[in-house]
Amino acid sequence: MSSNLLNGNNLRNNEEIHTKFLIVGSGAGGAVASNLLNKYDKDTLVVEEGDLSKEIQSPYLSQNLNKWRNRGMIPIRSGTKIISYAEGSCVGGSTEINGALMWKTPEKILDNWEKKYQLENISMNKMAPYFNEYEKQLSISYQEEENTNNLSKKILEISETLGWSNEKVKRAQKGCKNTNQCPVGCPSGAKQTMSKTYIKNFLSEKGNLIYNSKILKIFFKKNIATKALAISSEGMKFYINFKYIFLSSGVIQTPILLFKSGIKKNIGNKFQIQPNLKIAVLFDKNIYPENGTMMTRQINEFSKDGFSIGGSNFSPSYLSMTIASAGKNALSFLEQWQKTALYISLMKFNGIGKIRLIPFTNLPYISYKIHKNDFEIMKKSILKMAEGFFSLGAKKIITPFKKFQIVESLNEVRDKILYKKNLEHVELSAVHGMSSCGMSGDPDKFESATGNYGELNGFQNIFIADASILPTSLG
């Protein structure tokens, strides 16, 4: 390769490339892994299925859907329901389309993984230096709230009115200008994505990256991976020979690549998500919701009950998509959109899903079984959201429950949630997936896919470096 940043469409058909370290994917996992490996040996190559993540001055959702896999449409089937799942497909991965919210893994979760799954070197004392380094590299910090972010100010008002605990939330940002365009591209350049940080540093240190290219299959000699077949977005096929391969394609695409390569043992069996339950709230006065950003503050009073509450990115188009299923009954929200805000409950579900490869395709089939306790989480979540916003004098709330979409009082919500059937028809979405290739200190004992350091069980030179390896949901 003549350049260390290369469009795969410019390669020759059946070209053979050689590298020591091959990283598949350039999102949060692949970007960090590539930097660490490149410090060890400059013979490091990242292959990214998507295109470069370009910034434009006036980003709109319709102009940026190429950053989203399947243009933002990945269905998770749960009985008769569809949970919509979103992930990035561009250089920088999902960090290019999310809100840049950042939390350290809670100490209680790390302790649980260490004890329950016999993992080594994963205590908070061991992990703290890494967390601190990532916070430094990504400029993870609290955001100024004084003059904008009325959405998050409402969260603070609820806490003061009802005595609920809340906390500020850190984001990967440098001087956020509150353009409210996190999911489509930050026109101010404040959001610190992987393409702006770790990938930029990787390329400056002579690391190699091929974009617009998808790894289709991995080839083996016994239990050693030797070569990968790739195809560019325009159909150019080429091969990459390597000594070590690191899979960082994300919680869905990593198991799909393994399936296509003939590896199935303990893959895709324990998929977990943290679903979002989103509401639209109509207040009696203008709050100018477009002047802000994703949650800078959240209500954490109910974290032990499995959920937290915070603001969501807002624009009239986001509002339209959120309330579309309510039809003409939701027109008042659109007509008074400057009095309207979007909020989410981020929930820790107990359900388990499976990821499978649809035969004769490259497509995943994702199923998820909602646990009976998850209905209680949803019930309390919508009840507390309603209690909070009606305590501030909200006029109406559009809920994601089809049996009671528009409510005008807390008592109305209380009456509706008494019946489980009213909770079963609900619109949920998720962006936080994990555990499809979980790790443990003893993969055979725990039926996990990977070992203590992300090494794929039964193979000498395959490692996984993304959220697939997390043993459980983060909480």
Side-chain angles (χ1 to χ4, degrees):
M1 298 184 297
S2 58
S3 170
N4 69 329
L5 178 62
L6 185 65
N7 187 334
N9 294 311
N10 295 328
L11 290 169
R12 299 188 306 273
N13 200 38
N14 293 320
E15 183 169 344
E16 295 268 348
I17 296 171
H18 295 264
T19 188
K20 183 171 185 178
F21 299 123
L22 171 61
I23 300 100
V24 185
S26 64
V32 174
S34 65
N35 272 260
L36 294 172
L37 293 167
N38 199 50
K39 290 178 181 179
Y40 178 77
D41 193 311
K42 300 297 182 184
D43 192 11
T44 302
L45 170 64
V46 175
V47 175
E48 167 56 51
E49 178 182 356
D51 203 347
L52 296 174
S53 182
K54 302 180 180 68
E55 290 182 4
I56 56 177
Q57 292 302 309
S58 299
Y60 297 98
L61 184 61
S62 61
Q63 296 175 347
N64 287 269
L65 286 175
N66 61 311
K67 296 178 181 178
W68 298 59
R69 182 173 301 281
N70 296 339
R71 303 179 74 81
M73 299 174 63
I74 302 175
I76 300 175
R77 291 163 176 83
S78 180
T80 59
K81 292 181 289 296
I82 296 293
I83 301 173
S84 60
Y85 187 82
E87 62 180 6
S89 182
C90 58
V91 173
S94 294
T95 68
E96 308 296 323
I97 65 165
N98 64 23
L101 298 167
M102 295 287 176
W103 292 274
K104 293 179 181 178
T105 306
E107 187 170 8
K108 65 179 181 180
I109 297 292
L110 294 175
D111 290 343
N112 177 59
W113 290 350
E114 188 175 44
K115 295 171 184 175
K116 185 174 180 178
Y117 297 98
Q118 299 177 3
L119 289 168
E120 302 173 353
N121 298 321
I122 203 167
S123 67
M124 183 57 78
N125 285 338
K126 294 286 186 180
M127 296 301 297
Y130 301 102
F131 290 152
N132 294 337
E133 176 64 19
Y134 302 147
E135 286 197 343
K136 179 181 178 182
Q137 292 293 329
L138 293 168
S139 301
I140 297 172
S141 57
Y142 295 118
Q143 189 169 329
E144 185 272 327
E145 296 179 296
E146 187 63 28
N147 299 315
T148 53
N149 272 304
N150 287 329
L151 277 73
S152 288
K153 287 179 181 178
K154 292 292 184 182
I155 293 294
L156 186 57
E157 287 181 39
I158 290 173
S159 296
E160 293 171 347
T161 300
L162 299 177
W164 294 350
S165 62
N166 73 91
E167 63 181 351
K168 295 185 73 174
V169 178
K170 289 183 176 181
R171 299 178 63 239
Q173 52 86 28
K174 282 184 178 179
C176 176
K177 304 300 182 184
N178 294 297
T179 62
N180 236 320
Q181 298 286 359
C182 302
V184 293
C186 178
S188 70
K191 189 171 79 164
Q192 298 300 289
T193 65
M194 287 297 151
S195 66
K196 288 192 183 76
T197 55
Y198 280 91
I199 291 296
K200 182 179 180 180
N201 182 66
F202 172 70
L203 293 171
S204 70
E205 294 295 326
K206 304 189 184 306
N208 300 299
L209 190 152
I210 300 175
Y211 60 96
N212 282 333
S213 298
K214 181 181 181 69
I215 300 295
L216 292 178
K217 187 177 182 180
I218 304 169
F219 299 96
F220 305 88
K221 289 182 179 178
K222 295 184 179 181
N223 65 340
I224 299 176
T226 59
K227 179 186 289 191
L229 169 64
I231 187 169
S232 75
S233 59
E234 296 179 0
M236 195 71 67
K237 291 185 177 181
F238 57 97
Y239 295 88
I240 304 171
N241 301 271
F242 54 81
K243 291 186 177 179
Y244 300 91
I245 184 169
F246 294 78
L247 307 184
S248 303
S249 303
V251 68
I252 296 173
Q253 300 306 315
T254 286
I256 290 300
L257 176 55
L258 291 171
F259 288 144
K260 290 191 294 183
S261 303
I263 302 173
K264 299 179 181 180
K265 185 177 180 181
N266 299 329
I267 304 297
N269 293 336
K270 300 177 182 179
F271 173 61
Q272 297 189 36
I273 54 174
Q274 290 180 318
N276 297 331
L277 186 153
K278 184 178 288 189
I279 64 172
V281 182
L282 178 61
F283 295 100
D284 59 347
K285 296 179 181 179
N286 286 350
I287 63 168
Y288 307 103
E290 75 280 16
N291 298 326
T293 189
M294 281 232 32
M295 67 175 81
T296 56
R297 188 177 292 272
Q298 67 175 356
I299 291 172
N300 62 353
E301 175 77 14
F302 310 105
S303 58
K304 291 183 179 179
D305 297 303
F307 66 93
S308 60
I309 302 169
S312 180
N313 279 117
F314 184 95
S315 74
S317 60
Y318 299 157
L319 175 62
S320 297
M321 289 187 293
T322 300
I323 66 177
S325 62
K328 64 181 181 180
N329 295 324
L331 282 177
S332 60
F333 286 77
L334 286 174
E335 291 167 350
Q336 303 176 77
W337 66 267
Q338 288 194 322
K339 297 180 180 179
T340 305
L342 297 174
Y343 292 92
I344 60 171
S345 170
L346 182 60
M347 301 176 290
K348 183 184 186 301
F349 271 16
N350 301 286
I352 298 291
K354 291 186 178 182
I355 299 172
R356 294 291 182 262
L357 176 66
I358 299 175
F360 310 111
T361 75
N362 292 321
L363 301 174
Y365 181 88
I366 312 168
S367 60
Y368 185 83
K369 185 175 182 179
I370 296 178
H371 192 275
K372 62 181 181 180
N373 292 343
D374 298 336
F375 288 103
E376 292 302 314
I377 295 174
M378 283 193 285
K379 181 189 295 186
K380 187 165 186 178
S381 176
I382 190 65
L383 181 63
K384 290 301 179 182
M385 292 176 90
E387 182 181 353
F389 292 111
F390 282 126
S391 77
L392 301 185
K395 295 172 66 177
K396 298 179 184 178
I397 293 176
I398 294 184
T399 83
F401 297 96
K402 295 182 181 179
K403 294 289 185 178
F404 57 106
Q405 283 195 301
I406 299 180
V407 293
E408 299 184 19
S409 71
L410 177 57
N411 285 335
E412 188 177 354
V413 177
R414 285 174 174 155
D415 290 341
K416 297 293 186 181
I417 65 172
L418 289 175
Y419 304 99
K420 183 179 177 181
K421 65 180 182 180
N422 289 343
L423 300 176
E424 291 176 342
H425 301 280
V426 59
E427 295 179 5
L428 297 173
S429 63
V431 293
H432 302 134
M434 58 212 82
S435 309
S436 56
C437 299
M439 63 180 177
S440 74
D442 189 338
D444 293 323
K445 174 182 176 181
F446 293 101
E447 297 183 339
S448 61
T450 52
N452 202 91
Y453 299 97
E455 67 276 18
L456 188 62
N457 189 30
F459 295 87
Q460 293 188 23
N461 63 337
I462 304 178
F463 297 83
I464 298 179
D466 60 28
S468 303
I469 66 172
L470 301 181
T472 66
S473 174
L474 290 171

